[in-house]
C-alpha cells in the first residue's frame, strides 16, 4: 500500500490540517509540511496522522491509500 499523491498535495496546501496535526502531536507546522514535500511515507502513514487526516477530510482508506499491488520485476 502506498499513500496517494493527493494526500501529500493536501498537506502541502492545507495549512489548517497541518496545524491540527502539529498541535495534536506537539510538532511544528513546518515539520508536518516537510513530510509532504519529502514524500515521507513513514511520517504521513503513521496511524495517528492517518486518523487525523481521514477525519479532517472525511476520507476512507481507499481515498487515502493506493490499494493496488505493484508488480515487482524479477529480471
Amino acid at each position: 500500500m502506498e499513500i496517494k499523491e493527493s494526500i501529500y498535495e493536501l498537506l502541502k496546501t492545507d495549512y489548517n490540517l497541518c496545524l491540527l496535526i502539529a498541535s495534536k502531536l506537539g510538532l511544528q507546522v513546518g515539520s508536518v509540511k516537510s513530510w509532504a514535500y519529502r514524500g515521507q511515507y513513514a511520517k504521513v502513514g503513521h496511524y495517528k496522522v492517518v486518523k487525523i487526516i481521514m477525519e479532517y477530510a472525511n476520507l476512507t482508506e481507499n481515498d487515502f491509500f493506493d490499494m493496488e499491488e505493484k508488480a515487482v520485476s524479477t529480471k
Side-chain angles (χ1 to χ4, degrees):
M1 267 189 314
E2 291 187 21
I3 296 171
K4 290 186 175 182
E5 187 61 34
S6 60
I7 301 303
Y8 292 115
E9 290 301 318
L10 181 62
L11 287 173
K12 290 176 187 176
T13 59
D14 194 327
Y15 179 81
N16 290 329
L17 174 57
C18 292
L19 183 62
L20 177 64
I21 294 169
S23 67
K24 289 197 178 224
L25 300 180
L27 302 168
Q28 298 286 327
V29 173
S31 297
V32 177
K33 282 191 153 305
S34 74
W35 300 344
Y37 284 101
R38 294 179 180 166
Q40 291 183 305
Y41 177 88
K43 301 284 188 175
V44 179
H46 187 274
Y47 172 76
K48 289 180 181 179
V49 177
V50 171
K51 186 174 177 182
I52 293 167
I53 295 171
M54 286 175 60
E55 288 177 3
Y56 177 87
N58 196 27
L59 301 174
T60 65
E61 284 188 18
N62 289 333
D63 296 330
F64 198 95
F65 294 104
D66 185 4
M67 301 293 193
E68 292 183 20
E69 292 290 324
K70 302 248 181 195
V72 178
S73 176
T74 57
K75 291 182 182 181

